[in-house]
Amino acid sequence: MISTTGTVCPHCGWPDGGEPFQVLSRHTTATGRTEWTRCGCGSLQVRVVEGGGMCVVSRSGPASGSAAARSGTASR
């Protein structure tokens, strides 16, 4: 998985602060929660949500069968 501090998905350009395409799971922590999400391009993301906001702390590339991977936008 690729660690990230950017503000958009490097594979499709979707804003990290935008709603994820799909929330896979949410887990409460002592300081907030951790969410596993999937971006519209198929990239898996780990989001940490705390009182100060949300941050994508890790992400994968798009799934090999995703539309972004097939169209070549995954290599942006």
Side-chain angles (χ1 to χ4, degrees):
M1 296 263 245
I2 301 165
S3 187
T4 181
T5 57
T7 58
V8 298
C9 176
H11 308 292
C12 70
W14 188 263
D16 284 345
E19 286 296 314
F21 176 73
Q22 181 180 27
V23 176
L24 303 172
S25 66
R26 287 189 174 106
H27 308 277
T28 303
T29 65
T31 59
R33 70 180 183 270
T34 300
E35 297 179 343
W36 283 81
T37 64
R38 187 174 304 280
C39 184
C41 70
S43 169
L44 287 173
Q45 303 172 343
V46 178
R47 296 173 173 222
V48 173
V49 183
E50 297 177 335
M54 183 279 305
C55 180
V56 175
V57 296
S58 186
R59 74 174 91 227
S60 71
S64 60
S66 72
R70 286 191 307 269
S71 70
T73 58
S75 61
R76 281 190 200 172

